[in-house]
Amino acid sequence: MARKTVERSVASPAARRRPARTTGKSVDSTAEAADKNRPLVEDIRLLGRILGDVIREQEGQAAFDLVERVRQLSVAYRLKSDAQAGRALDRLLKNLSGDQTVSVIRAFSYFSHLANIAEDRHHIRRRNHHERQGHLQEGSLALAMERLADAGIRGDEIARMLGHAYISPVLTAHPTEVQRKSILDAERAIAAMVEQRDDLASERDLAANEERIRARVTQLWQTRMLRTSKLTVADEIENALSYYRTTFLRQIPRLYRDIEAALPGHPIAPFFRMGNWIGGDRDGNPNVSAETLEMALARQCETALRFYLTEVHELGAELSISDTLAPISPALRALAEASPDHSSHRTDELYRRVLIGMYARLAATLREFTGTEALRHAVAPQNPYRSADEMLAELQVVEDSLVANHAQALVEPRLRPLKRALQVFGFHLATVDLRQSSDKHELVVAELLRTARLEADYSALDEAAKQQLLIGLLNDARPLRVHGSQYSEHALHELAIFESAGRMLARYGRAALRHYIISHTEAVSDLLEVQLLMKETGLLLGTLDGDGDAAAVGALVVVPLFETIGDLRQASQIMRDYFALPGVSGLLQRSGSEQDIMLGYSDSNKDGGSFTSNWELYCAELALAELFGELGREHGITMRLFHGRGGTVGRGGGPSYQAILAQPPGTVNGQIRLTEQGEVIASKYAHPEIGRRNLETLVAATLEATLLHPTKSAPASFIEAAAAISDASFAAYRRLVYETPGFTDYFFSATPIREIAELNLGSRPASRKATREIEDLRAIPWSFSWGQCRITLPGWCGFGSAIDEFLKDDGQREQRLALLRRMHKQWPFFRTLMSNLDMVIAKSDFAIAARYVELVEDKKLGKRIFGLIQAEWQRTSDALTLITGTDQRLASNPALARSIEHRFPYLDPLNHLQVELLRRYRGHVGDREQPDPAFARVRRGIHISINGIAAGLRNTG
């Protein structure tokens, strides 16, 4: 009886308990909501019970009982504010051995992972239910099409817009993806088995399914959660490629199919493209080189070709049509005759002969492009394809013959998705962006000029002189490099990237490499320097002042990245000055008539706080839209904004649908790129169905933003209010983060930033320089650290003080409050900001955060800074209540409220344990390079807790 009680307690989710203190009353507290969520509760109970059984089996009853005791005390401390439970929890944790601590942390970490699986499944279940009921969901393609139809927009108009569109999510490798690929693969398998349970009826089948889940949970428990060495760029490339095999290669063609079904009779040109930074982004990452770029493109090509090989093989098995029973087209017969397959078994099966010939060509293409071999060979590889278009033309012959001869039904299941995959992914799979910081380019240019004795100290020149010199060099056909001269390792490394890009373009085509991004763009010369390096390495041919064949043409789009508040304020003027230079607009026209501009959310937030960052981004976009409206009319140049969004609200995160619809008027126009980073990639794309839904959301939002024009020019009163709030928010944020004495010491003590830097998360260092300055810290670990200690400061800091200032008692308070409420109701930009604030406030927890203050050695300093932070958080929460009219957090997002309710009581123990281990770790005296085994266990426990908390919070990086 006692054992049964314990089992039920561990397996029970938090669904029957009150939500976290910061969420207010649960929106899903009605009987109807409880019924709706019953399958979720059952899935969590199932996975929790299986995990409990595995812990008992693997670690023993005592370990299981310990996990349960920690859970009970943590829940009592959270939900009942039970001080006695808090003290008992402290005593218990301080007395745990290293092995016990690691075991408990692993238990709660894996529960977070399993809860994610259950939630994802329930999300799909609810979405399917709504669709069956005819209830269209926000962000769905169906609802977007209905809104377009209601607005009188015809199918041909939508198809025409898509014909000029460019929508591209870009996967980036940043140090917040804490899961190993082995863990992700096992969890994908568990997710598939949980999904299968909805279709199982018999007790026997359910029991067999449960045993398969148990096997995978056992695998998880016996699999090392942490990496033993730091990720290499090659590891990051492989991790990213797994999402193509799992999701993108199949789900993007399915998305196109849904669009075609919604627009019958209107051909849809390829508009959806995948992008990738991994292997080409060397900003702050010395491990990225010409070799990693070539590796990335080769592995991408191999992934695409192996997918096509499999699909062609399967298609050959399906098209067993005999020409004695069904006619074929002359074009297909010609292809069959040209096939190297002469088997007597297939003399009448001409489709199979064609596809075997295509397989042989693909196998030869694989060998030529990647040096690897296909898995099977009916005939020897031969006659490789030179481009994806060649293969596409042959597939079109197959389709035309099937359609003309009453076999249309055989086209839809595999042939048409394969054709669409070829259109979208080609032989390159995804466009790899190159990126480097502007100061690194300047060093190379300065060295080239110094060695050529053209300018002894280029970096000392003012901006006007730099521009004049660079324009002159771009109009000089002669190279800069001096034969026989010795150049620095840095210069050779950078030039090798450009030279490699030229070789890769020749091999894989322009779709493989399209953009060169310049981090920290601060002046026109930053753009010209990259153009000069392209000229030096053959990526820019001709001169700016040339005409005819001598006129300059660039192989890559040179993309400025404006990151800081100051950079954003200068963005439109820099671009205006750039295009005013003689020859620049002509260069762009000849090179494709497109100009991407990247906007950095992370660094602008770290620089000036969340509200100011978003406001300056909004203003920069408006100014750029005005400029490119002029350029479009005069020169036909298209602007495409590239949004460098992270996972957290503090780094531009939040729902993509609302974010796209909230863009300023005239800034989308069917053109958008946005980054997908860290653990958000797994959250969005690890499950194929959820991945397709997220991709669908990007298309739906782009359609609505472009054709329905949901954002109009904001009234002057809104603009003036937002500007005033931004100024006050900027001052309050800077005052706390950069001007408060001791804040940096507090941050490095009261968050696990030091330990995150040691964790083998990514190939990139956590800081740009070896300092403790916040200015030098990368925005990603900055946000990640505040998420770990549950303060989430980058997502809200400064806003509360700004609203206090805006509503100061000067006789205008009520009018200003009414204005803020109108802004929330009528202005998508402001409403989206408030929604994101709501989310980040709900995810913070100062009762947990207070535990981390104990880690600050200077107790007075810790108490003082924490008090300032908590007071600002309270001001922000109160301001949000004033503006929205409700003190219920997540009232408009019941799914997230439900998620928090279910997971936070199981997340809290990880924070309590992390604090205890951080205390032990930092108090350890000895050699940290070769620590004793007990110390190594402590460090391992910290790193596992970081993994578990990140998994529980989901968007923390």
Side-chain angles (χ1 to χ4, degrees):
M1 177 67 74
R3 173 174 168 174
K4 187 173 182 181
T5 301
V6 171
E7 284 180 352
R8 186 165 57 246
S9 182
V10 163
S12 168
R16 297 178 306 212
R17 301 184 177 88
R18 295 177 59 82
R21 285 187 292 274
T22 56
T23 66
K25 184 181 177 182
S26 171
V27 246
D28 284 345
S29 58
T30 64
E32 180 184 357
D35 185 63
K36 178 177 71 176
N37 294 329
R38 186 169 292 113
L40 170 63
V41 171
E42 290 173 353
D43 284 345
I44 293 179
R45 282 178 175 168
L46 170 73
L47 295 173
R49 175 170 57 79
I50 291 173
L51 176 63
D53 290 345
V54 168
I55 291 170
R56 186 186 295 105
E57 176 186 76
Q58 302 289 320
E59 306 292 321
Q61 185 67 39
F64 176 87
D65 293 342
L66 176 59
V67 169
E68 174 61 9
R69 178 61 177 155
V70 171
R71 185 197 66 79
Q72 289 174 340
L73 291 172
S74 180
V75 168
Y77 182 68
R78 162 172 279 276
L79 300 182
K80 301 176 184 177
S81 299
D82 186 339
Q84 184 175 352
R87 289 191 294 271
L89 182 63
D90 271 345
R91 288 194 299 271
L92 176 61
L93 298 183
K94 286 177 180 176
N95 289 317
L96 293 181
S97 69
D99 287 340
Q100 286 177 313
T101 305
V102 170
S103 179
V104 173
I105 287 174
R106 294 184 74 225
F108 285 103
S109 294
Y110 276 128
F111 186 85
S112 290
H113 289 239
L114 295 173
N116 287 348
I117 291 171
E119 284 186 7
D120 288 345
R121 176 60 201 146
H122 194 61
H123 177 74
I124 296 169
R125 187 185 288 126
R126 295 305 306 166
R127 184 72 175 260
N128 292 339
H129 170 78
H130 286 301
E131 288 183 354
R132 287 193 298 270
Q133 298 296 314
H135 302 149
L136 302 182
Q137 297 292 291
E138 199 78 41
S140 68
L141 185 63
L143 183 56
M145 290 296 181
E146 183 177 280
R147 287 173 174 170
L148 293 171
D150 290 344
I153 298 171
R154 302 188 311 273
D156 61 332
E157 295 177 79
I158 299 171
R160 189 163 51 250
M161 187 282 279
L162 290 175
H164 299 287
Y166 191 98
I167 302 173
S168 178
V170 181
L171 305 189
T172 72
H174 281 291
T176 61
E177 172 52 78
V178 293
Q179 292 196 58
R180 293 180 61 210
K181 185 175 178 298
S182 299
I183 301 294
L184 287 170
D185 288 344
E187 289 177 3
R188 285 189 181 114
I190 294 171
M193 287 182 277
V194 171
E195 181 177 353
Q196 291 164 7
R197 293 183 69 81
D198 285 351
D199 298 321
L200 300 179
S202 73
E203 289 298 324
R204 183 180 65 182
D205 288 345
L206 286 167
N209 172 275
E210 183 175 327
E211 284 308 304
R212 290 194 295 272
I213 294 174
R214 188 183 307 276
R216 288 295 191 174
V217 174
T218 300
Q219 175 195 344
L220 282 178
W221 191 259
Q222 293 191 354
T223 297
R224 174 170 37 83
M225 187 178 278
L226 300 176
R227 303 181 183 99
T228 55
S229 58
K230 197 169 185 64
L231 271 182
T232 65
V233 178
D235 294 327
E236 291 172 333
I237 291 168
E238 294 308 314
N239 284 349
L241 291 176
S242 70
Y243 295 100
Y244 286 86
R245 291 186 286 267
T246 301
T247 299
F248 299 128
L249 281 162
R250 296 193 184 279
Q251 296 303 320
I252 290 178
R254 184 179 169 191
L255 176 60
Y256 274 98
R257 183 201 65 190
D258 292 345
I259 296 169
E260 289 170 336
L263 301 171
H266 300 292
I268 304 301
F271 65 88
F272 201 98
R273 308 292 188 189
M274 291 302 301
N276 187 12
W277 275 14
I278 308 167
D281 174 20
R282 60 196 191 282
D283 178 19
N285 192 344
N287 302 308
V288 174
S289 63
E291 289 73 23
T292 65
L293 176 62
E294 296 185 12
M295 179 199 312
L297 286 163
R299 287 293 295 122
Q300 287 185 186
C301 177
E302 183 180 350
T303 299
L305 292 177
R306 289 193 184 281
F307 173 77
Y308 302 149
L309 283 163
T310 299
E311 292 302 292
V312 167
H313 175 75
E314 295 296 332
L315 191 59
E318 293 168 5
L319 298 186
S320 54
I321 299 168
S322 170
D323 68 352
T324 63
L325 299 173
I328 61 168
S329 69
L332 187 94
R333 184 174 297 278
L335 267 184
E337 293 301 325
S339 171
D341 177 34
H342 303 296
S343 170
S344 59
H345 300 293
R346 290 183 289 273
T347 54
D348 63 329
E349 296 176 347
L350 275 67
Y351 287 99
R352 280 185 165 172
R353 288 173 59 192
V354 167
L355 288 161
I356 287 171
M358 293 182 69
Y359 190 98
R361 295 195 70 183
L362 267 176
T365 308
L366 179 70
R367 177 186 291 171
E368 181 169 308
F369 279 13
T370 71
T372 61
E373 294 291 335
L375 296 178
R376 53 177 76 87
H377 297 293
V379 296
Q382 54 197 284
N383 190 22
Y385 291 110
R386 295 302 164 191
S387 70
D389 287 341
E390 277 190 50
M391 179 179 171
L392 194 59
E394 293 186 354
L395 286 175
Q396 189 62 52
V397 169
V398 175
E399 178 177 343
D400 290 345
S401 181
L402 290 169
V403 171
N405 295 291
H406 311 293
Q408 172 76 38
L410 291 169
V411 172
E412 298 302 329
R414 193 179 301 275
L415 177 54
R416 188 154 290 168
L418 174 56
K419 283 177 54 190
R420 187 59 85 174
L422 266 168
Q423 290 178 329
V424 173
F425 301 104
F427 289 168
H428 65 284
L429 192 71
T431 299
V432 176
D433 290 354
L434 303 176
R435 185 172 79 130
Q436 180 57 291
S437 180
S438 59
D439 60 314
K440 303 299 183 183
H441 302 136
E442 182 177 306
L443 287 173
V444 179
V445 170
E447 185 174 344
L448 290 172
L449 294 175
R450 185 171 59 251
T451 305
R453 299 185 181 180
L454 294 174
E455 174 56 56
D457 193 357
Y458 169 79
S459 297
L461 299 178
D462 62 25
E463 176 61 17
K466 284 181 178 178
Q467 288 184 32
Q468 183 179 6
L469 176 57
L470 293 168
I471 289 290
L473 292 168
L474 286 167
N475 285 322
D476 188 335
R478 293 171 296 179
L480 284 174
R481 276 181 282 188
V482 178
H483 182 70
S485 294
Q486 296 294 315
Y487 291 94
S488 68
E489 183 178 343
H490 170 70
L492 294 173
H493 179 274
E494 291 297 308
L495 291 168
I497 290 278
F498 286 86
E499 291 164 342
S500 174
R503 294 191 298 273
M504 297 301 98
L505 282 165
R507 179 178 300 177
Y508 300 111
R510 193 181 181 196
L513 286 166
R514 187 167 176 151
H515 308 98
Y516 192 107
I517 299 165
I518 308 168
S519 301
H520 308 110
T521 301
E522 298 172 344
V524 171
S525 59
D526 294 334
L527 296 159
L528 296 175
E529 286 165 3
V530 172
Q531 299 283 16
L532 184 63
L533 293 175
M534 286 172 56
K535 170 181 170 288
E536 188 66 20
T537 51
L539 294 173
L540 190 150
L541 301 175
T543 59
L544 292 182
D545 62 357
D547 54 18
D549 292 340
V553 178
L556 301 173
V557 181
V558 176
V559 183
L561 168 52
F562 301 108
E563 297 176 89
T564 66
I565 299 298
D567 294 345
L568 290 169
R569 290 172 177 170
Q570 296 185 76
S572 65
Q573 189 59 52
I574 288 174
M575 296 311 296
R576 188 174 293 277
D577 292 344
Y578 176 61
F579 281 103
L581 293 172
V584 168
S585 59
L587 167 63
L588 253 75
Q589 286 175 300
R590 291 184 295 274
S591 305
S593 296
E594 60 182 20
Q595 176 64 63
D596 292 65
I597 296 175
M598 187 170 182
L599 303 173
Y601 288 66
S602 303
D603 284 298
S604 59
N605 182 287
K606 187 165 71 73
D607 189 24
S610 181
F611 190 91
T612 300
S613 168
N614 280 278
W615 175 241
E616 293 296 344
L617 285 159
Y618 187 90
C619 293
E621 289 183 52
L622 281 176
L624 288 166
E626 180 182 355
L627 168 62
F628 278 89
E630 301 168 13
L631 291 169
R633 289 188 293 271
E634 295 175 15
H635 305 290
I637 295 171
T638 298
M639 175 183 76
R640 182 183 303 117
L641 291 178
F642 183 7
H643 300 271
R645 304 172 77 229
T648 61
V649 168
R651 295 187 50 245
S656 298
Y657 177 77
Q658 286 85 351
I660 294 172
L661 291 185
Q663 293 302 303
T667 59
V668 178
N669 296 329
Q671 308 285 317
I672 193 163
R673 300 183 89 214
L674 68 165
T675 52
E676 302 281 25
Q677 302 180 358
E679 78 283 354
V680 171
I681 298 174
S683 176
K684 285 187 174 183
Y685 301 117
H687 190 289
E689 180 70 13
I690 288 177
R692 188 179 68 81
R693 300 292 189 184
N694 278 296
L695 296 170
E696 179 182 331
T697 290
L698 297 180
V699 177
T702 305
L703 283 170
E704 292 185 41
T706 302
L707 296 173
L708 295 179
H709 309 291
T711 54
K712 311 297 182 185
S713 296
S717 59
F718 288 10
I719 298 293
E720 291 169 7
I725 294 168
S726 175
D727 288 344
S729 181
F730 180 80
Y733 175 86
R734 298 287 300 188
R735 187 164 56 246
L736 176 61
V737 173
Y738 290 100
E739 298 168 14
T740 299
F743 188 90
T744 299
D745 291 335
Y746 174 91
F747 170 67
F748 276 89
S749 296
T751 76
I753 177 62
R754 289 181 275 175
E755 290 72 24
I756 287 170
E758 297 175 2
L759 187 51
N760 296 312
L761 294 173
S763 66
R764 184 188 306 273
S767 184
R768 288 187 171 91
K769 300 177 183 177
T771 72
R772 276 168 53 99
E773 299 298 320
I774 292 173
E775 290 88 343
D776 296 328
L777 192 68
R778 291 191 173 277
I780 300 153
W782 163 255
S783 290
F784 195 56
S785 301
W786 288 114
Q788 286 282 311
C789 67
R790 308 284 285 280
I791 289 180
T792 64
L793 179 141
W796 53 260
C797 183
F799 182 73
S801 289
I803 296 301
D804 275 4
E805 175 69 18
F806 187 73
L807 296 178
K808 61 187 175 184
D809 192 8
D810 60 356
Q812 300 293 314
R813 177 182 172 84
E814 291 307 314
Q815 294 93 319
R816 288 175 178 165
L817 180 56
L819 173 63
L820 291 174
R821 288 173 174 169
R822 285 201 307 277
M823 291 164 66
H824 178 249
K825 185 177 181 180
Q826 301 172 11
W827 194 11
F829 165 75
F830 194 74
R831 185 168 57 251
T832 299
L833 276 181
M834 295 305 99
S835 175
N836 287 337
L837 263 177
D838 186 37
M839 177 177 69
V840 79
I841 289 290
K843 283 195 170 185
S844 59
D845 189 309
F846 274 78
I848 295 294
R851 306 299 298 271
Y852 287 80
V853 183
E854 301 165 10
L855 299 171
V856 182
E857 291 184 13
D858 186 335
K859 300 305 178 187
K860 288 185 178 179
L861 173 70
K863 185 176 180 180
R864 176 172 61 84
I865 303 282
F866 183 70
L868 294 173
I869 293 172
Q870 190 168 23
E872 180 60 23
W873 180 91
Q874 191 61 56
R875 283 190 287 270
T876 300
S877 182
D878 292 345
L880 192 59
T881 297
L882 274 176
I883 293 167
T884 63
T886 177
D887 61 356
Q888 283 190 23
R889 297 286 77 92
L890 301 175
S892 61
N893 193 344
L896 182 57
R898 179 181 64 225
S899 171
I900 287 176
E901 179 181 352
H902 290 155
R903 71 177 57 244
F904 274 24
Y906 294 89
L907 189 60
D908 293 351
L910 290 171
N911 287 107
H912 294 303
L913 287 158
Q914 187 180 85
V915 170
E916 174 57 29
L917 290 183
L918 287 171
R919 182 185 293 112
R920 296 183 195 179
Y921 183 73
R922 294 173 182 179
H924 181 85
V925 178
D927 181 5
R928 293 200 172 195
E929 293 301 317
Q930 294 184 337
D932 60 59
F935 181 68
R937 281 193 296 271
V938 169
R939 182 167 59 182
R940 177 167 167 253
I942 292 170
H943 291 170
I944 296 173
S945 73
I946 291 171
N947 181 303
I949 293 168
L953 293 173
R954 306 207 82 166
N955 58 342
T956 61

